[in-house]
Amino acid sequence: MNRAFKGLSAFPLTPFHANSVDESVFIRLIDRLVSAEVDSIAVLGSTGSYAYLSYEERVNISRLAVRHAAEIPVIVGIGSLRTSDVLRLADAAQEAGAQGVLLAPMSYQKLTPDEVFALYETITRVLSVPLCVYDNPATTQFNFSDSLLKSIAGLPNIGSIKTSFVVPGIATTRDSMRMDIEHLRSLIPPSVTIGVAGDGLAAIGMDSGCDVWYSVIAGAFPDLGVAIARGFREGRGAEAYALHDRYAAVWELFRQYGSLRVIATMAELSQLVESPTLPAPVTALEGDERQRVATLLCTLDALN
């Protein structure tokens, strides 16, 4: 099992200032993750605004992350609209020293299953590091079928599958999560890890057998993520559930407004980043929604 794809994987923001990547603030965010001893650092995921960055900005972020991550494995998002660009980004990530890459089937025209398989087949053929399949229909508008996941998982250099296990309109329980994980494991090789995305499902996911938590909250507030993840890892499940449940209001905000806008708002209000920190036209929350986040932060000591 690849070290990059187990435990707690923290997804930091790519902070902006005056329409440029704020390198010094990004390095401080990475330093926080190193100090907290997260298990891996995943840059240029959705939380890292990869779709809004130029090739040069993405290469620079990859190099900065690896340079400042100490001994912690770095995963780099390589998603792009064109396969040729994904190949360039994969090469750059590997040259920077990434120990894994993350790829969602990004598109403007909705992709077909055959097109998605061809994308992963093409990329995995040239990789020397493992790849995490990013199953995120909320942003890509693409749903992986069981047969497609099984086919992709059988390709060389597939290391993990990142998924939220969310079925619209159906509440996720421990029993349903365990069934989903068991079903997914029946489709994929044992060397491929399963990761839960969506911080509100992290406790159920880890308790139900997920190998890794791909976490938004840990990218800005790593001590909280580490405390929850280690609780489950060390057999203190009740304690970890209690801590996770304490932040239910945060998980609800993520669900309601999207985790990127909410975590950016939290980071701005906590003065971890400059404001505005997101690349326009995307913005953090404003008005009543921003005040709601500010009020919530005042009640959550672990985030202050």
Side-chain angles (χ1 to χ4, degrees):
M1 186 180 295
N2 185 275
R3 182 187 168 202
F5 297 139
K6 63 180 182 179
L8 174 69
S9 187
F11 281 63
L13 293 157
T14 301
F16 272 70
H17 180 64
N19 203 38
S20 296
V21 173
D22 194 328
E23 294 184 12
S24 61
V25 172
F26 178 73
I27 291 168
R28 288 205 300 269
L29 292 177
I30 298 298
D31 288 343
R32 285 170 63 86
L33 306 184
V34 172
S35 296
E37 298 181 347
V38 300
D39 294 299
S40 66
I41 297 170
V43 298
L44 300 173
S46 297
T47 309
S49 302
Y50 73 96
Y52 298 92
L53 274 63
S54 69
Y55 172 79
E56 291 75 18
E57 287 170 331
R58 294 175 67 169
V59 171
N60 187 39
I61 284 293
S62 302
R63 291 172 177 169
L64 286 173
V66 172
R67 190 179 307 151
H68 292 274
E71 300 300 315
I72 296 176
V74 173
I75 304 165
V76 174
I78 59 171
S80 193
L81 292 174
R82 295 174 59 186
T83 299
S84 59
D85 290 334
V86 178
L87 287 166
R88 289 178 70 208
L89 290 162
D91 285 344
Q94 292 177 115
E95 289 174 7
Q99 294 190 30
V101 294
L102 174 70
L103 177 61
M106 186 180 175
S107 68
Y108 178 76
Q109 301 292 338
K110 187 174 181 180
L111 296 174
T112 68
D114 286 346
E115 290 167 337
V116 170
F117 180 79
L119 169 66
Y120 285 97
E121 183 181 41
T122 300
I123 302 308
T124 55
R125 195 184 303 132
V126 301
L127 285 175
S128 58
V129 299
L131 177 146
C132 176
V133 178
Y134 190 4
D135 178 10
N136 187 6
T139 56
T140 64
Q141 305 304 306
F142 183 84
N143 290 282
F144 286 86
S145 66
D146 285 355
S147 59
L148 180 58
L149 272 179
K150 183 175 182 179
S151 297
I152 291 173
L155 293 170
N157 294 314
I158 297 294
S160 186
I161 296 173
K162 176 181 187 283
T163 183
S164 65
F165 299 100
V166 172
V167 178
I170 300 178
T172 301
T173 65
R174 270 180 284 184
D175 288 343
S176 65
M177 177 71 83
R178 287 193 178 102
M179 290 177 61
D180 288 343
I181 292 171
E182 289 174 5
H183 177 66
L184 183 53
R185 287 202 190 282
S186 73
L187 302 174
I188 63 178
S191 59
V192 178
T193 67
I194 297 174
V196 59
D199 287 3
L201 293 175
I204 292 178
M206 287 183 287
D207 188 35
S208 300
C210 283
D211 304 294
V212 54
W213 170 19
Y214 293 110
S215 175
V216 172
I217 197 73
F221 304 99
D223 289 338
L224 173 61
V226 168
I228 294 171
R230 284 185 180 168
F232 284 104
R233 183 185 306 168
E234 296 170 1
R236 296 178 285 107
E239 178 183 325
Y241 264 114
L243 182 57
H244 182 269
D245 290 348
R246 185 179 171 225
Y247 292 86
V250 175
W251 317 141
E252 174 58 25
L253 285 172
F254 282 6
R255 187 196 65 78
Q256 193 170 359
Y257 298 112
S259 59
L260 173 60
R261 288 184 172 89
V262 175
I263 198 65
T265 306
M266 295 171 73
E268 289 178 2
L269 291 170
S270 301
Q271 299 184 328
L272 296 175
V273 298
E274 298 285 341
S275 180
T277 196
L278 294 178
V282 185
T283 64
L285 299 178
E286 300 173 345
D288 291 343
E289 290 82 9
R290 191 176 186 88
Q291 183 56 51
R292 181 179 170 190
V293 175
T295 300
L296 180 60
L297 281 171
C298 291
T299 69
L300 299 174
D301 293 339
L303 297 181
N304 296 323

